[in-house]
Amino acid sequence: MKTRVHAVAGVLALALISLFFTASAVVEIFGDDAAVRAVKTAVVFALFVLVPCMAITGATGRSLGAPRRRAPLIRRKQRRMVAAAAIGLLILVPCAITLRIFADDGRFDTTFAVVQAIEFLGGAVNITLLGLSARDGRLLTAAARRRKRQAATVAVQP
């Protein structure tokens, strides 16, 4: 059950960050000021889903990895999660809030563009980190399934 919660929270976090990234890019290219304002507002409200998803992913991942915390794959996943959380809390959340304030004020100036660029860079890094962690999680669960299957086969044999 804990593995499923971890996977669902992680995939949802990755999907939300990817959606924020894509929506922001599309609206910056094709949208008007009102569309930018709407996306920036939606992103800020969606943080109330994203932040708990990241926390759940981190907590369940730490719990699942505790028995094998010295395994290289688990250590990499944990380091990635720390980096993703730091980027999220220290860069992406403040950028999202700042961009929403700027959009509400109609400030689509150079400062807006710089903050938007920082948000895009941080988002791209987080998408990469979470994607790599998802890949490694699939490797870990595949290995666990193989071990379980082998144990069941050995137990059945006379």
Side-chain angles (χ1 to χ4, degrees):
M1 179 68 175
K2 196 183 305 181
T3 304
R4 280 207 202 286
V5 170
H6 179 73
V8 168
V11 167
L12 184 56
L14 178 57
L16 284 170
I17 293 169
S18 298
L19 180 64
F20 297 168
F21 188 91
T22 304
S24 291
V26 168
V27 81
E28 286 295 325
I29 295 168
F30 300 111
D32 59 1
D33 291 354
V36 172
R37 191 174 302 113
V39 167
K40 296 307 169 191
T41 299
V43 167
V44 169
F45 283 112
L47 290 174
F48 291 103
V49 176
L50 176 61
V51 172
C53 281
M54 291 291 287
I56 290 167
T57 302
T60 56
R62 183 170 294 276
S63 173
L64 288 166
R68 299 178 300 165
R69 71 176 158 265
R70 294 195 190 278
L73 201 56
I74 291 175
R75 291 179 78 148
R76 279 197 306 263
K77 279 181 61 85
Q78 288 174 339
R79 280 195 303 267
R80 280 191 209 116
M81 194 61 195
V82 168
I87 291 167
L89 290 175
L90 301 175
I91 296 170
L92 295 177
V93 169
C95 282
I97 293 167
T98 301
L99 289 170
R100 179 179 182 228
I101 292 167
F102 285 178
D104 282 347
D105 293 345
R107 277 189 57 192
F108 299 106
D109 55 5
T110 305
T111 306
F112 182 92
V114 168
V115 175
Q116 182 68 70
I118 292 167
E119 186 182 50
F120 278 138
L121 181 62
V125 170
N126 260 11
I127 290 168
T128 302
L129 291 172
L130 293 174
L132 291 170
S133 286
R135 179 204 62 193
D136 289 349
R138 300 243 333 132
L139 290 172
L140 287 167
T141 56
R145 280 193 300 269
R146 270 194 308 276
R147 282 192 303 272
K148 220 182 247 188
R149 217 174 305 131
Q150 286 173 345
T153 304
V154 170
V156 172
Q157 291 178 351

